[in-house]
Amino acid sequence: DAGVIQSPRHEVTEMGQEVTLRCKPISGHNSLFWYRQTMMRGLELLIYFNNNVPIDDSGMPEDRFSAKMPNASFSTLKIQPSEPRDSAVYFCASSLVQGSTDTQYFGPGTRLTVL
Amino acid sequence: GESVGLHLPTLSVQEGDNSIINCAYSNSASDYFIWYKQESGKGPQFIIDIRSNMDKRQGQRVTVLLNKTVKHLSLQIAATQPGDSAVYFCAENGGDDYKLSFGAGTTVTVRA
C-alpha cells in the first residue's frame, strides 16, 4: 500500500525562482496537510485541505506561498519568488478526518535549498 | 559561538534497556495525542496514539501513558534496539478536529 508520495525529494534553486512541490495523498484520505520543518521552528502547519477545499491557511507565511488541491489525489505547494529563508524540508501529510482528529501520515518530504 | 534553533532534549540508552520519553503538553482542551518517530532524512512516522478517555495504550514494544491532571504524556519503548535511534515527537490536537501541534522532539541515541 503506497504511502504519501512527494516530489521532488530534493530541490536546489536560486533566489527569485519559482518552486513547485507536489504531493499525492494516501488513496481514500479526505484531508491533506502541508508542513514546513526547520531547526529554528520545528514542524509548522502551513495549510490544511479537507475534501480538496482549503480550510485553514493561517500558517502560510506570506503571499509568496500558495497551495492548490485540484482533485483528491494531487496537491501542489508553490513558492514564487523563492527566498533563501524558505530553505527547509516541506512535508505533505494526509488523514481520514471523520469528525475527530485522526492519524496524519507523512510523506518523505522535499528538501528545498534556495541559494 | 552561541547556538541557535530548538534545543532538543536528548536521551542516550543502552541497547536492550527500556526507554521513557516524556512530553508536557499545554492545551487542556486537547483530546487526541500522538507520537511520531523521525529518522534522519525521512518523514515523521506514526508510532502510537491515544485519546483522552484513556490513560494507557499499548502497541508492539511501545506504551503511551497519558496523565491529564498534570498534562503529561510519555512513550515507553521496551528492549530498545539500534533501529529505535531517531527523533521522537509528541503532538496534541488542542481540541481541534484536524490540527496537530508538535513538540520540539527528543533525540534518542541507542548505545550498542
Side-chain angles (χ1 to χ4, degrees):
Chain A
D1 186 20
V4 175
I5 298 172
Q6 291 187 248
S7 65
R9 293 295 313 278
H10 302 274
E11 178 80 35
V12 180
T13 190
E14 292 188 344
M15 182 174 63
Q17 296 298 306
E18 177 181 296
V19 175
T20 300
L21 311 181
R22 296 173 176 79
C23 175
K24 176 178 169 54
I26 293 172
S27 178
H29 281 187
N30 63 357
S31 298
L32 184 138
F33 308 80
W34 282 101
Y35 288 87
R36 178 171 66 177
Q37 186 177 43
T38 62
M39 285 300 296
M40 288 290 292
R41 296 174 176 265
L43 264 169
E44 303 174 277
L45 177 64
L46 300 178
I47 189 168
Y48 158 60
F49 290 88
N50 182 259
N51 292 320
N52 313 337
V53 176
I55 302 300
D56 182 352
D57 65 354
S58 59
M60 295 286 264
E62 47 197 276
D63 292 345
R64 297 184 297 106
F65 285 69
S66 63
K68 294 182 179 180
M69 191 164 186
N71 58 62
S73 59
F74 184 66
S75 177
T76 59
L77 178 67
K78 185 177 294 186
I79 308 172
Q80 166 64 17
S82 57
E83 296 182 3
R85 60 193 168 119
D86 302 329
S87 297
V89 182
Y90 291 81
F91 289 104
C92 176
S94 72
S95 177
L96 181 60
V97 175
Q98 295 178 308
S100 62
T101 318
D102 214 325
T103 308
Q104 294 180 21
Y105 295 91
F106 284 76
T110 295
R111 181 173 294 276
L112 174 64
T113 303
V114 183
L115 303 174
Chain B
E2 183 179 3
S3 64
V4 295
L6 296 172
H7 293 275
L8 302 184
T10 59
L11 175 67
S12 180
V13 60
Q14 185 69 37
E15 181 179 357
D17 287 352
N18 296 335
S19 304
I20 300 177
I21 306 166
N22 296 302
C23 179
Y25 65 93
S26 56
N27 195 330
S28 56
S30 291
D31 57 11
Y32 178 73
F33 306 86
I34 189 165
W35 281 99
Y36 284 95
K37 170 187 179 183
Q38 187 175 22
E39 297 174 89
S40 180
K42 296 184 179 180
Q45 176 187 0
F46 167 79
I47 302 174
I48 192 167
D49 60 1
I50 189 169
R51 298 194 184 271
S52 60
N53 60 351
M54 301 175 70
D55 297 322
K56 178 180 179 179
R57 192 164 186 221
Q58 289 184 290
Q60 186 175 11
R61 279 203 309 121
V62 294
T63 300
V64 56
L65 298 177
L66 175 62
N67 185 330
K68 296 180 285 294
T69 302
V70 295
K71 297 205 285 279
H72 184 267
L73 193 67
S74 68
L75 177 70
Q76 300 177 0
I77 305 174
T80 311
Q81 302 170 358
D84 295 327
S85 293
V87 179
Y88 289 80
F89 294 94
C90 65
E92 58 177 309
N93 74 339
D96 280 334
D97 61 2
Y98 64 89
K99 187 177 289 189
L100 291 177
S101 296
F102 287 81
T106 296
T107 300
V108 172
T109 303
V110 180
R111 306 188 307 271

